[in-house]
Amino acid sequence: MRYDIAVVGAGPAGLAAAARASAAGRRVVLLDAGPLPGGQYWRHRAGFAPADRRFRALAGTLDRVDYRSGAPVWFAEPGFTLHTGAGEISAGRLVLATGAHDRVVPFPGWDLPGVTTAGGAQALLKGHGVLAGRRIVVAGTGPFLLPVATGLARAGARIAGVFEAAPALRMIRRRIPLDKLTEAAGYAARFARHRIPYRTGHRLLAAHGDGEVDAVTVAGRNGVPRRIRCDALAVGYGFTPALELPTLLDCAVRVDGDTNLVVTVDHAQQTTVAGVFAAGEITGVGGADLALVEGAIAGAAAAGSAVPDRLAKRRAGLRRFAAALRETYRVPPGWPDGLAEDTLVCRCEEVSYGAIRTAVTELRATEARTVKLLTRAGMGWCQGRICGYPVACLAARLGGRAVTESDLDAFARRPIAMPITLGELAGDS
């Protein structure tokens, strides 16, 4: 079946794009791997739709599109033909809004049971009503730690502490829009209500436990380590864009200010490949507000409509704020200093920091792709989605240079965009 426009991803950007394109009279198909619309931001269980008026308004437009849930797109051909879990789909134009996943960096003990990503802890709760633990530490950097902690606390968990790596001074010197100040005040009130300790300038050093996590060690600005008891750790350092489909279609990418690889787009959210548009986190991690605006612009442009000036101005302001957030909540540059030789960096293939160091310093690997070939880092089940960023950073650091597009691209580009069975692959042929 052929459509005018195919939108991939039903998060904020994808929903906004589909709504705008369908309102312009185009025949639109909206494809998503999840069982319900909303993406990770509006993830929910059946019967528990988010109260957010923006979600409800966009969900109300789904009757205008061919919305297909449980339809992951695992391959894309020029032209455009999409291979999905629900069969082949053809479209004249594409809007890619595939979002991002948690970014983590390794530390001693991060492979213990009970250690999860911040997004993973939130997904368990929002998607299944399951708490990651009863006494939870939330650590890393970025504003995403706030909703994760408050959501877990509201569901009954005791939050032993939220440990933000960014120093307070770096956070407060930024110009913050009024609506974001109001949002921050709301989180402060919820933290006070649930008696959640919040510490800035605190780095996560290690997780401890015999068979499962039972404590973590953090250090503040004075460098003195402090041990915190817990039965779960939710850790995150921002997000990594999901670039499988853009790279399959040879869309140009670049290194963003937060050392992420992102899709290059023009004023209309069009990529360097004619007919392919991109919106949301894959063009630069910036949050739901920016994703909604970019999605609306991409949907309008894909439908052949002019980009409204008000949306362009709104996007410019949100991008400035997003850039300030990326600068504020940087991954601590000294995170590799805490790695031991036997600390696993690639958990799927059990590749240690020592093996990566040997590949660079003794086997003379000059970039991340060679490190991958020599060590098998990034060749396991996750295909580098988790370890790709830290391996790229380590390869560059050990080589005495900055991270390059080539380093990151070694883990972003995959021949099959999503895991599928051999039976699905055979059935598609």
PDB file of all heavy atoms in Angstrom, residues 117-154:
ATOM      1  N   THR A 117      19.028   1.966  33.722  1.00  0.00           N
ATOM      2  CA  THR A 117      19.049   3.347  33.247  1.00  0.00           C
ATOM      3  C   THR A 117      17.872   4.101  33.860  1.00  0.00           C
ATOM      4  O   THR A 117      16.886   3.502  34.308  1.00  0.00           O
ATOM      5  CB  THR A 117      18.941   3.420  31.717  1.00  0.00           C
ATOM      6  OG1 THR A 117      17.669   2.894  31.313  1.00  0.00           O
ATOM      7  CG2 THR A 117      20.059   2.635  31.051  1.00  0.00           C
ATOM      8  N   ALA A 118      17.974   5.421  33.874  1.00  0.00           N
ATOM      9  CA  ALA A 118      16.875   6.233  34.393  1.00  0.00           C
ATOM     10  C   ALA A 118      15.613   6.005  33.557  1.00  0.00           C
ATOM     11  O   ALA A 118      14.514   5.874  34.092  1.00  0.00           O
ATOM     12  CB  ALA A 118      17.271   7.706  34.388  1.00  0.00           C
ATOM     13  N   GLY A 119      15.792   5.945  32.238  1.00  0.00           N
ATOM     14  CA  GLY A 119      14.653   5.689  31.362  1.00  0.00           C
ATOM     15  C   GLY A 119      14.079   4.306  31.553  1.00  0.00           C
ATOM     16  O   GLY A 119      12.868   4.097  31.449  1.00  0.00           O
ATOM     17  N   GLY A 120      14.958   3.337  31.832  1.00  0.00           N
ATOM     18  CA  GLY A 120      14.484   1.985  32.074  1.00  0.00           C
ATOM     19  C   GLY A 120      13.622   1.911  33.314  1.00  0.00           C
ATOM     20  O   GLY A 120      12.570   1.244  33.328  1.00  0.00           O
ATOM     21  N   ALA A 121      14.038   2.594  34.390  1.00  0.00           N
ATOM     22  CA  ALA A 121      13.240   2.617  35.616  1.00  0.00           C
ATOM     23  C   ALA A 121      11.892   3.278  35.372  1.00  0.00           C
ATOM     24  O   ALA A 121      10.853   2.818  35.868  1.00  0.00           O
ATOM     25  CB  ALA A 121      14.007   3.352  36.715  1.00  0.00           C
ATOM     26  N   GLN A 122      11.910   4.352  34.581  1.00  0.00           N
ATOM     27  CA  GLN A 122      10.650   5.033  34.286  1.00  0.00           C
ATOM     28  C   GLN A 122       9.752   4.186  33.383  1.00  0.00           C
ATOM     29  O   GLN A 122       8.531   4.135  33.573  1.00  0.00           O
ATOM     30  CB  GLN A 122      10.918   6.381  33.627  1.00  0.00           C
ATOM     31  CG  GLN A 122       9.654   7.233  33.472  1.00  0.00           C
ATOM     32  CD  GLN A 122       9.920   8.510  32.714  1.00  0.00           C
ATOM     33  OE1 GLN A 122      10.275   8.469  31.543  1.00  0.00           O
ATOM     34  NE2 GLN A 122       9.751   9.638  33.360  1.00  0.00           N
ATOM     35  N   ALA A 123      10.352   3.490  32.414  1.00  0.00           N
ATOM     36  CA  ALA A 123       9.564   2.650  31.510  1.00  0.00           C
ATOM     37  C   ALA A 123       8.902   1.499  32.264  1.00  0.00           C
ATOM     38  O   ALA A 123       7.749   1.140  31.992  1.00  0.00           O
ATOM     39  CB  ALA A 123      10.456   2.108  30.393  1.00  0.00           C
ATOM     40  N   LEU A 124       9.622   0.899  33.200  1.00  0.00           N
ATOM     41  CA  LEU A 124       9.030  -0.161  34.024  1.00  0.00           C
ATOM     42  C   LEU A 124       7.804   0.352  34.756  1.00  0.00           C
ATOM     43  O   LEU A 124       6.773  -0.334  34.840  1.00  0.00           O
ATOM     44  CB  LEU A 124      10.056  -0.680  35.028  1.00  0.00           C
ATOM     45  CG  LEU A 124      11.071  -1.704  34.549  1.00  0.00           C
ATOM     46  CD1 LEU A 124      12.103  -1.966  35.651  1.00  0.00           C
ATOM     47  CD2 LEU A 124      10.379  -3.009  34.162  1.00  0.00           C
ATOM     48  N   LEU A 125       7.927   1.561  35.300  1.00  0.00           N
ATOM     49  CA  LEU A 125       6.831   2.123  36.082  1.00  0.00           C
ATOM     50  C   LEU A 125       5.658   2.549  35.204  1.00  0.00           C
ATOM     51  O   LEU A 125       4.508   2.161  35.450  1.00  0.00           O
ATOM     52  CB  LEU A 125       7.351   3.316  36.886  1.00  0.00           C
ATOM     53  CG  LEU A 125       6.315   4.029  37.762  1.00  0.00           C
ATOM     54  CD1 LEU A 125       5.757   3.079  38.815  1.00  0.00           C
ATOM     55  CD2 LEU A 125       6.934   5.256  38.423  1.00  0.00           C
ATOM     56  N   LYS A 126       5.949   3.325  34.159  1.00  0.00           N
ATOM     57  CA  LYS A 126       4.864   3.861  33.333  1.00  0.00           C
ATOM     58  C   LYS A 126       4.231   2.807  32.437  1.00  0.00           C
ATOM     59  O   LYS A 126       3.026   2.846  32.184  1.00  0.00           O
ATOM     60  CB  LYS A 126       5.401   5.025  32.489  1.00  0.00           C
ATOM     61  CG  LYS A 126       5.816   6.228  33.317  1.00  0.00           C
ATOM     62  CD  LYS A 126       6.556   7.265  32.494  1.00  0.00           C
ATOM     63  CE  LYS A 126       5.652   7.987  31.534  1.00  0.00           C
ATOM     64  NZ  LYS A 126       6.352   9.116  30.870  1.00  0.00           N
ATOM     65  N   GLY A 127       5.051   1.871  31.953  1.00  0.00           N
ATOM     66  CA  GLY A 127       4.524   0.872  31.036  1.00  0.00           C
ATOM     67  C   GLY A 127       3.938  -0.348  31.703  1.00  0.00           C
ATOM     68  O   GLY A 127       3.060  -1.012  31.139  1.00  0.00           O
ATOM     69  N   HIS A 128       4.420  -0.664  32.939  1.00  0.00           N
ATOM     70  CA  HIS A 128       3.991  -1.905  33.581  1.00  0.00           C
ATOM     71  C   HIS A 128       3.580  -1.737  35.039  1.00  0.00           C
ATOM     72  O   HIS A 128       3.171  -2.710  35.677  1.00  0.00           O
ATOM     73  CB  HIS A 128       5.112  -2.945  33.489  1.00  0.00           C
ATOM     74  CG  HIS A 128       5.579  -3.203  32.093  1.00  0.00           C
ATOM     75  ND1 HIS A 128       4.873  -3.971  31.187  1.00  0.00           N
ATOM     76  CD2 HIS A 128       6.679  -2.757  31.417  1.00  0.00           C
ATOM     77  CE1 HIS A 128       5.520  -4.000  30.031  1.00  0.00           C
ATOM     78  NE2 HIS A 128       6.614  -3.268  30.148  1.00  0.00           N
ATOM     79  N   GLY A 129       3.746  -0.550  35.596  1.00  0.00           N
ATOM     80  CA  GLY A 129       3.402  -0.342  36.990  1.00  0.00           C
ATOM     81  C   GLY A 129       4.344  -1.036  37.950  1.00  0.00           C
ATOM     82  O   GLY A 129       3.960  -1.363  39.081  1.00  0.00           O
ATOM     83  N   VAL A 130       5.602  -1.255  37.545  1.00  0.00           N
ATOM     84  CA  VAL A 130       6.575  -1.993  38.343  1.00  0.00           C
ATOM     85  C   VAL A 130       7.670  -1.035  38.829  1.00  0.00           C
ATOM     86  O   VAL A 130       8.232  -0.275  38.042  1.00  0.00           O
ATOM     87  CB  VAL A 130       7.219  -3.138  37.527  1.00  0.00           C
ATOM     88  CG1 VAL A 130       8.327  -3.814  38.324  1.00  0.00           C
ATOM     89  CG2 VAL A 130       6.157  -4.149  37.122  1.00  0.00           C
ATOM     90  N   LEU A 131       7.971  -1.095  40.135  1.00  0.00           N
ATOM     91  CA  LEU A 131       9.066  -0.316  40.688  1.00  0.00           C
ATOM     92  C   LEU A 131      10.384  -1.052  40.505  1.00  0.00           C
ATOM     93  O   LEU A 131      10.454  -2.266  40.707  1.00  0.00           O
ATOM     94  CB  LEU A 131       8.838  -0.061  42.177  1.00  0.00           C
ATOM     95  CG  LEU A 131       7.804   1.012  42.552  1.00  0.00           C
ATOM     96  CD1 LEU A 131       7.527   0.959  44.050  1.00  0.00           C
ATOM     97  CD2 LEU A 131       8.297   2.389  42.155  1.00  0.00           C
ATOM     98  N   ALA A 132      11.440  -0.318  40.152  1.00  0.00           N
ATOM     99  CA  ALA A 132      12.762  -0.930  39.999  1.00  0.00           C
ATOM    100  C   ALA A 132      13.316  -1.382  41.337  1.00  0.00           C
ATOM    101  O   ALA A 132      14.191  -2.253  41.397  1.00  0.00           O
ATOM    102  CB  ALA A 132      13.724   0.060  39.342  1.00  0.00           C
ATOM    103  N   GLY A 133      12.841  -0.812  42.434  1.00  0.00           N
ATOM    104  CA  GLY A 133      13.292  -1.169  43.774  1.00  0.00           C
ATOM    105  C   GLY A 133      12.454  -0.435  44.794  1.00  0.00           C
ATOM    106  O   GLY A 133      11.530   0.306  44.456  1.00  0.00           O
ATOM    107  N   ARG A 134      12.783  -0.648  46.070  1.00  0.00           N
ATOM    108  CA  ARG A 134      12.060   0.048  47.137  1.00  0.00           C
ATOM    109  C   ARG A 134      12.852   1.236  47.672  1.00  0.00           C
ATOM    110  O   ARG A 134      12.280   2.216  48.117  1.00  0.00           O
ATOM    111  CB  ARG A 134      11.773  -0.922  48.285  1.00  0.00           C
ATOM    112  CG  ARG A 134      10.987  -2.160  47.894  1.00  0.00           C
ATOM    113  CD  ARG A 134       9.661  -1.840  47.214  1.00  0.00           C
ATOM    114  NE  ARG A 134       8.804  -0.971  47.997  1.00  0.00           N
ATOM    115  CZ  ARG A 134       7.592  -0.567  47.613  1.00  0.00           C
ATOM    116  NH1 ARG A 134       7.105  -0.946  46.437  1.00  0.00           N
ATOM    117  NH2 ARG A 134       6.871   0.228  48.383  1.00  0.00           N
ATOM    118  N   ARG A 135      14.172   1.118  47.676  1.00  0.00           N
ATOM    119  CA  ARG A 135      15.030   2.228  48.105  1.00  0.00           C
ATOM    120  C   ARG A 135      15.994   2.502  46.951  1.00  0.00           C
ATOM    121  O   ARG A 135      16.919   1.728  46.694  1.00  0.00           O
ATOM    122  CB  ARG A 135      15.792   1.858  49.373  1.00  0.00           C
ATOM    123  CG  ARG A 135      16.701   2.969  49.909  1.00  0.00           C
ATOM    124  CD  ARG A 135      17.462   2.521  51.154  1.00  0.00           C
ATOM    125  NE  ARG A 135      18.463   3.499  51.561  1.00  0.00           N
ATOM    126  CZ  ARG A 135      18.232   4.554  52.343  1.00  0.00           C
ATOM    127  NH1 ARG A 135      17.020   4.736  52.832  1.00  0.00           N
ATOM    128  NH2 ARG A 135      19.196   5.400  52.638  1.00  0.00           N
ATOM    129  N   ILE A 136      15.765   3.598  46.235  1.00  0.00           N
ATOM    130  CA  ILE A 136      16.408   3.827  44.940  1.00  0.00           C
ATOM    131  C   ILE A 136      17.276   5.078  44.979  1.00  0.00           C
ATOM    132  O   ILE A 136      16.874   6.126  45.507  1.00  0.00           O
ATOM    133  CB  ILE A 136      15.350   3.964  43.824  1.00  0.00           C
ATOM    134  CG1 ILE A 136      14.415   2.737  43.816  1.00  0.00           C
ATOM    135  CG2 ILE A 136      16.006   4.129  42.463  1.00  0.00           C
ATOM    136  CD1 ILE A 136      13.263   2.852  42.854  1.00  0.00           C
ATOM    137  N   VAL A 137      18.464   4.978  44.407  1.00  0.00           N
ATOM    138  CA  VAL A 137      19.313   6.135  44.148  1.00  0.00           C
ATOM    139  C   VAL A 137      19.165   6.503  42.680  1.00  0.00           C
ATOM    140  O   VAL A 137      19.187   5.627  41.800  1.00  0.00           O
ATOM    141  CB  VAL A 137      20.791   5.832  44.472  1.00  0.00           C
ATOM    142  CG1 VAL A 137      21.702   6.920  43.897  1.00  0.00           C
ATOM    143  CG2 VAL A 137      20.999   5.720  45.974  1.00  0.00           C
ATOM    144  N   VAL A 138      18.993   7.783  42.404  1.00  0.00           N
ATOM    145  CA  VAL A 138      18.927   8.297  41.032  1.00  0.00           C
ATOM    146  C   VAL A 138      20.157   9.178  40.832  1.00  0.00           C
ATOM    147  O   VAL A 138      20.415  10.088  41.627  1.00  0.00           O
ATOM    148  CB  VAL A 138      17.636   9.106  40.799  1.00  0.00           C
ATOM    149  CG1 VAL A 138      17.590   9.644  39.366  1.00  0.00           C
ATOM    150  CG2 VAL A 138      16.408   8.248  41.083  1.00  0.00           C
ATOM    151  N   ALA A 139      20.934   8.897  39.793  1.00  0.00           N
ATOM    152  CA  ALA A 139      22.201   9.609  39.628  1.00  0.00           C
ATOM    153  C   ALA A 139      22.526   9.825  38.157  1.00  0.00           C
ATOM    154  O   ALA A 139      21.967   9.169  37.272  1.00  0.00           O
ATOM    155  CB  ALA A 139      23.335   8.833  40.308  1.00  0.00           C
ATOM    156  N   GLY A 140      23.459  10.746  37.915  1.00  0.00           N
ATOM    157  CA  GLY A 140      23.874  11.065  36.549  1.00  0.00           C
ATOM    158  C   GLY A 140      23.830  12.563  36.347  1.00  0.00           C
ATOM    159  O   GLY A 140      24.254  13.332  37.205  1.00  0.00           O
ATOM    160  N   THR A 141      23.272  12.971  35.228  1.00  0.00           N
ATOM    161  CA  THR A 141      23.123  14.402  34.983  1.00  0.00           C
ATOM    162  C   THR A 141      21.966  14.658  34.031  1.00  0.00           C
ATOM    163  O   THR A 141      21.630  13.811  33.205  1.00  0.00           O
ATOM    164  CB  THR A 141      24.423  15.005  34.402  1.00  0.00           C
ATOM    165  OG1 THR A 141      24.332  16.439  34.429  1.00  0.00           O
ATOM    166  CG2 THR A 141      24.679  14.558  32.973  1.00  0.00           C
ATOM    167  N   GLY A 142      21.347  15.824  34.182  1.00  0.00           N
ATOM    168  CA  GLY A 142      20.272  16.228  33.284  1.00  0.00           C
ATOM    169  C   GLY A 142      18.934  16.370  33.978  1.00  0.00           C
ATOM    170  O   GLY A 142      18.680  15.728  35.005  1.00  0.00           O
ATOM    171  N   PRO A 143      18.058  17.201  33.425  1.00  0.00           N
ATOM    172  CA  PRO A 143      16.738  17.428  34.033  1.00  0.00           C
ATOM    173  C   PRO A 143      15.849  16.198  34.039  1.00  0.00           C
ATOM    174  O   PRO A 143      14.879  16.141  34.791  1.00  0.00           O
ATOM    175  CB  PRO A 143      16.145  18.543  33.165  1.00  0.00           C
ATOM    176  CG  PRO A 143      16.916  18.510  31.889  1.00  0.00           C
ATOM    177  CD  PRO A 143      18.290  18.043  32.242  1.00  0.00           C
ATOM    178  N   PHE A 144      16.154  15.185  33.213  1.00  0.00           N
ATOM    179  CA  PHE A 144      15.344  13.975  33.179  1.00  0.00           C
ATOM    180  C   PHE A 144      15.354  13.238  34.522  1.00  0.00           C
ATOM    181  O   PHE A 144      14.423  12.497  34.840  1.00  0.00           O
ATOM    182  CB  PHE A 144      15.840  13.050  32.070  1.00  0.00           C
ATOM    183  CG  PHE A 144      15.032  11.785  31.900  1.00  0.00           C
ATOM    184  CD1 PHE A 144      13.672  11.830  31.665  1.00  0.00           C
ATOM    185  CD2 PHE A 144      15.646  10.545  31.972  1.00  0.00           C
ATOM    186  CE1 PHE A 144      12.926  10.672  31.507  1.00  0.00           C
ATOM    187  CE2 PHE A 144      14.918   9.374  31.810  1.00  0.00           C
ATOM    188  CZ  PHE A 144      13.553   9.440  31.581  1.00  0.00           C
ATOM    189  N   LEU A 145      16.396  13.445  35.324  1.00  0.00           N
ATOM    190  CA  LEU A 145      16.455  12.794  36.625  1.00  0.00           C
ATOM    191  C   LEU A 145      15.292  13.233  37.527  1.00  0.00           C
ATOM    192  O   LEU A 145      14.853  12.469  38.394  1.00  0.00           O
ATOM    193  CB  LEU A 145      17.783  13.106  37.325  1.00  0.00           C
ATOM    194  CG  LEU A 145      19.075  12.739  36.585  1.00  0.00           C
ATOM    195  CD1 LEU A 145      20.282  13.065  37.453  1.00  0.00           C
ATOM    196  CD2 LEU A 145      19.078  11.279  36.183  1.00  0.00           C
ATOM    197  N   LEU A 146      14.792  14.438  37.322  1.00  0.00           N
ATOM    198  CA  LEU A 146      13.736  14.972  38.183  1.00  0.00           C
ATOM    199  C   LEU A 146      12.409  14.225  38.026  1.00  0.00           C
ATOM    200  O   LEU A 146      11.841  13.757  39.016  1.00  0.00           O
ATOM    201  CB  LEU A 146      13.547  16.471  37.921  1.00  0.00           C
ATOM    202  CG  LEU A 146      14.803  17.340  38.059  1.00  0.00           C
ATOM    203  CD1 LEU A 146      14.468  18.796  37.783  1.00  0.00           C
ATOM    204  CD2 LEU A 146      15.411  17.188  39.445  1.00  0.00           C
ATOM    205  N   PRO A 147      11.852  14.086  36.809  1.00  0.00           N
ATOM    206  CA  PRO A 147      10.601  13.331  36.690  1.00  0.00           C
ATOM    207  C   PRO A 147      10.759  11.865  37.044  1.00  0.00           C
ATOM    208  O   PRO A 147       9.812  11.234  37.535  1.00  0.00           O
ATOM    209  CB  PRO A 147      10.206  13.515  35.219  1.00  0.00           C
ATOM    210  CG  PRO A 147      11.459  13.880  34.511  1.00  0.00           C
ATOM    211  CD  PRO A 147      12.257  14.663  35.509  1.00  0.00           C
ATOM    212  N   VAL A 148      11.944  11.296  36.800  1.00  0.00           N
ATOM    213  CA  VAL A 148      12.155   9.898  37.171  1.00  0.00           C
ATOM    214  C   VAL A 148      12.047   9.737  38.681  1.00  0.00           C
ATOM    215  O   VAL A 148      11.330   8.864  39.190  1.00  0.00           O
ATOM    216  CB  VAL A 148      13.528   9.402  36.671  1.00  0.00           C
ATOM    217  CG1 VAL A 148      13.849   8.031  37.260  1.00  0.00           C
ATOM    218  CG2 VAL A 148      13.545   9.336  35.157  1.00  0.00           C
ATOM    219  N   ALA A 149      12.728  10.595  39.429  1.00  0.00           N
ATOM    220  CA  ALA A 149      12.711  10.503  40.886  1.00  0.00           C
ATOM    221  C   ALA A 149      11.319  10.747  41.454  1.00  0.00           C
ATOM    222  O   ALA A 149      10.856  10.003  42.328  1.00  0.00           O
ATOM    223  CB  ALA A 149      13.713  11.490  41.482  1.00  0.00           C
ATOM    224  N   THR A 150      10.643  11.779  40.971  1.00  0.00           N
ATOM    225  CA  THR A 150       9.319  12.083  41.518  1.00  0.00           C
ATOM    226  C   THR A 150       8.292  11.019  41.144  1.00  0.00           C
ATOM    227  O   THR A 150       7.423  10.684  41.949  1.00  0.00           O
ATOM    228  CB  THR A 150       8.843  13.462  41.047  1.00  0.00           C
ATOM    229  OG1 THR A 150       8.900  13.531  39.611  1.00  0.00           O
ATOM    230  CG2 THR A 150       9.706  14.566  41.629  1.00  0.00           C
ATOM    231  N   GLY A 151       8.412  10.461  39.945  1.00  0.00           N
ATOM    232  CA  GLY A 151       7.490   9.393  39.548  1.00  0.00           C
ATOM    233  C   GLY A 151       7.660   8.157  40.406  1.00  0.00           C
ATOM    234  O   GLY A 151       6.681   7.541  40.844  1.00  0.00           O
ATOM    235  N   LEU A 152       8.911   7.789  40.682  1.00  0.00           N
ATOM    236  CA  LEU A 152       9.171   6.624  41.525  1.00  0.00           C
ATOM    237  C   LEU A 152       8.699   6.862  42.953  1.00  0.00           C
ATOM    238  O   LEU A 152       8.126   5.974  43.590  1.00  0.00           O
ATOM    239  CB  LEU A 152      10.671   6.303  41.513  1.00  0.00           C
ATOM    240  CG  LEU A 152      11.242   5.794  40.187  1.00  0.00           C
ATOM    241  CD1 LEU A 152      12.775   5.769  40.248  1.00  0.00           C
ATOM    242  CD2 LEU A 152      10.701   4.404  39.853  1.00  0.00           C
ATOM    243  N   ALA A 153       8.927   8.074  43.452  1.00  0.00           N
ATOM    244  CA  ALA A 153       8.503   8.398  44.814  1.00  0.00           C
ATOM    245  C   ALA A 153       6.980   8.382  44.927  1.00  0.00           C
ATOM    246  O   ALA A 153       6.424   7.868  45.909  1.00  0.00           O
ATOM    247  CB  ALA A 153       9.049   9.763  45.220  1.00  0.00           C
ATOM    248  N   ARG A 154       6.307   8.925  43.941  1.00  0.00           N
ATOM    249  CA  ARG A 154       4.846   8.950  43.965  1.00  0.00           C
ATOM    250  C   ARG A 154       4.268   7.540  43.945  1.00  0.00           C
ATOM    251  O   ARG A 154       3.204   7.272  44.507  1.00  0.00           O
ATOM    252  CB  ARG A 154       4.331   9.755  42.769  1.00  0.00           C
ATOM    253  CG  ARG A 154       2.835  10.020  42.793  1.00  0.00           C
ATOM    254  CD  ARG A 154       2.428  11.064  41.757  1.00  0.00           C
ATOM    255  NE  ARG A 154       2.865  10.716  40.425  1.00  0.00           N
ATOM    256  CZ  ARG A 154       3.787  11.396  39.736  1.00  0.00           C
ATOM    257  NH1 ARG A 154       4.374  12.444  40.291  1.00  0.00           N
ATOM    258  NH2 ARG A 154       4.123  11.020  38.522  1.00  0.00           N
TER     259      ARG A 154
END
